[in-house]
Amino acid sequence: MKDETKLVTAGRDPEANFGIVNPPVYHASTIVHATLDEWDAAHERRKAGERGVYYGRWGTPTTFALEDAICALEGGHRCAVYPSGLAAIASALLAFVKTGDHVLMVDTAYGPARRCCEGLLKRFGVETTYYDPLVGKGIEELIRPNTRLVYLEAPGSLTFEMQDVPVIAEAARRRGVVTLMDNTWATPLYFKSFEKGVDVSIHAGTKYVVGHSDAMLGLVSATREAWAAIEGMSKDLLGQAAGPDDVYLAQRGLRTLAVRLARHWESGVKVAEWLRGRPEVVRVMHPALPDDPGHALWRRDFLGAPGLFGFQLKPAPRKAVAALVDGLELFGMGASWGGYESLVLVSRPNLFRSVRRWPEDGPTLRLHIGLEAVDDLIADLEAGLRRFNDAL
Ligand SMILES: *Cc1c(COP(=O)(O)O)cnc(C)c1O
């Protein structure tokens, strides 16, 4: 079955629910059991790792519908939901480390993921080394006897460097080190984490899975071997559970992921190419562009590109950048992305870097290209660049 078909069918079972197309939204905490035997049996099943309806935190058919759909698409053994992408990252990190352990984290990781290392892991005596996203096979030399996990994100946050995921994952596996990857950019549709050797795949479902800028959600899928640690940490120790309405919105968003992403991809590349031809732009960071340094890896490993990329302007005063972005009509200025609408962000990559410094010789921006007509988006940006030039 092809991915587009899986997106439509996975995790749905109308026959179990009066023929209603979508899985119902169960609001649940307590699940009542009729007899002591049933109660005891449920406990045994849960302890054995069997999925079931035991207590709200362990999930309901609403949660299972989303988890099943994500696994069908991405190939994980099981998946867990979290109230945000960052909750998913923090829980996944904590699942594998203890005092005295060492973590290798990509230098271009999503900023708050680094904060988890500095603000959380460090307090419990776990040391982090940040590595160059272009490290490739060189990751082997960074693995120490106490290294427990390698954390990846491709492309890199804000600056979009590609990583050689299979090479890094293979090196880690040979040394018995678990790999976690933030796969939010590509979604389960455009990057198949488990085929590429990753053990744990993390998503801010908040972005493209929800897809409509109206809910926060995190997802972590794992291989059979890595699953027990993920489930134990999230459900038994941290008590992570997501609200049923948000879980429902995520599974609803998923149904249209393929058509939305195809459009984000097409329009994103058009805008990126248009920007590359502009004299005000010194660099466009978009792995799907043929002359991008990460293009060969993207082509080899990824099945598509969403609408998120970066570009850098020639050196300019702050007021020129403000003139550009303040007057945009179709690009909202804000964090997050992955909804149907376009967004712009003026970024400061070096606030979140310690190994691979970003050449901040000109302002760096990030665009999320939404589902508007691409000609309208380009016209909006063109007017913005006129204001930029006028303010120089
Ligand atoms: C937004 C984002 C997150 C965090 O997700 P939230 O739901 O906002 O907590 C994690 N990773 C990446 C790459 C993101 O863009």
Side-chain angles (χ1 to χ4, degrees):
M1 201 185 277
K2 295 223 161 51
D3 278 349
E4 288 81 354
T5 313
K6 285 184 190 165
L7 280 172
V8 170
T9 55
R12 288 202 303 113
D13 187 7
E15 276 173 37
N17 185 44
F18 308 102
I20 295 168
V21 171
N22 285 310
V25 183
Y26 285 99
H27 284 261
S29 55
T30 298
I31 314 296
V32 291
H33 299 72
T35 64
L36 182 59
D37 277 352
E38 271 186 32
W39 171 263
D40 285 346
H43 267 261
E44 290 307 315
R45 285 199 305 275
R46 193 186 68 57
K47 275 195 292 191
E50 212 177 291
R51 192 171 75 175
V53 183
Y54 306 116
Y55 177 60
R57 194 167 67 233
W58 292 87
T60 67
T62 307
T63 325
F64 305 155
L66 175 62
E67 294 170 359
D68 288 348
I70 296 288
C71 286
L73 201 61
E74 196 175 24
H77 167 62
R78 289 272 302 275
C79 171
V81 299
Y82 300 77
S84 74
L86 186 55
I89 291 171
S91 298
L93 285 168
L94 284 171
F96 296 101
V97 293
K98 62 179 187 322
T99 302
D101 284 347
H102 174 243
V103 166
L104 281 168
M105 171 156 287
V106 65
D107 198 41
T108 43
Y110 175 63
R114 292 178 68 111
R115 243 184 351 251
C116 282
C117 298
E118 300 311 310
L120 188 62
L121 301 190
K122 198 178 194 167
R123 285 168 54 184
F124 299 106
V126 176
E127 191 192 347
T128 302
T129 302
Y130 298 93
Y131 68 89
D132 189 324
L134 308 186
V135 69
K137 269 185 80 65
I139 197 76
E140 288 191 40
E141 286 137 49
L142 301 176
I143 296 177
R144 304 177 189 171
N146 63 337
T147 303
R148 283 290 292 140
L149 71 86
V150 176
Y151 188 99
L152 305 94
E153 181 178 336
S157 213
L158 305 176
T159 47
F160 301 89
E161 293 87 348
M162 266 296 158
Q163 290 196 260
D164 194 333
V165 179
V167 158
I168 294 171
E170 165 62 23
R173 182 156 294 177
R174 265 204 311 278
R175 299 283 294 271
V177 175
V178 70
T179 47
L180 279 62
M181 177 162 171
D182 186 328
N183 192 21
T184 301
W185 184 82
T187 83
L189 192 64
Y190 285 168
F191 185 78
K192 305 295 180 186
S193 303
F194 302 105
E195 278 175 24
K196 303 297 172 192
V198 171
D199 298 307
V200 177
S201 184
I202 304 168
H203 296 273
T206 309
K207 309 292 165 57
Y208 284 116
V209 175
V210 167
H212 294 71
S213 308
D214 52 3
M216 306 290 300
L217 201 87
L219 297 157
V220 175
S221 344
T223 58
R224 187 178 293 276
E225 295 70 33
W227 172 250
I230 291 292
E231 182 173 51
M233 180 54 66
S234 89
K235 306 266 200 278
D236 255 345
L237 297 174
L238 295 178
Q240 299 280 14
D245 293 313
D246 294 339
V247 172
Y248 176 81
L249 287 175
Q251 76 81 24
R252 190 169 74 163
L254 203 60
R255 305 300 169 202
T256 56
L257 186 67
V259 281
R260 286 187 287 114
L261 278 186
R263 179 67 175 273
H264 286 294
W265 178 9
E266 185 190 347
S267 295
V269 166
K270 275 189 191 152
V271 175
E273 278 175 343
W274 177 81
L275 281 169
R276 205 182 37 181
R278 292 288 307 204
E280 300 88 347
V281 174
V282 294
R283 188 181 281 119
V284 176
M285 295 86 81
H286 193 315
L289 295 195
D291 55 359
D292 187 274
H295 184 70
L297 286 177
W298 174 78
R299 265 185 74 135
R300 189 191 68 189
D301 294 339
F302 286 68
L303 303 170
L308 192 80
F309 67 94
F311 71 99
Q312 198 168 12
L313 291 161
K314 65 186 186 188
R318 189 172 188 279
K319 71 172 171 35
V321 184
L324 192 174
V325 296
D326 291 359
L328 291 172
E329 290 184 358
L330 298 175
F331 291 81
M333 203 186 313
S336 207
W337 43 276
Y340 52 82
E341 83 288 11
S342 289
L343 294 168
V344 64
L345 197 69
V346 180
S347 67
R348 301 275 311 280
N350 284 334
L351 291 178
F352 311 100
R353 298 293 148 86
S354 49
V355 178
R356 191 174 185 81
R357 303 300 290 176
W358 180 248
E360 278 186 12
D361 41 4
T364 305
L365 285 84
R366 187 184 76 182
L367 291 180
H368 177 250
I369 301 304
L371 303 178
E372 304 89 345
V374 68
D375 292 347
D376 289 338
L377 295 177
I378 289 175
D380 200 20
L381 291 170
E382 193 165 23
L385 289 174
R386 260 199 310 277
R387 289 190 301 275
F388 173 83
N389 287 324
D390 289 345
L392 282 178

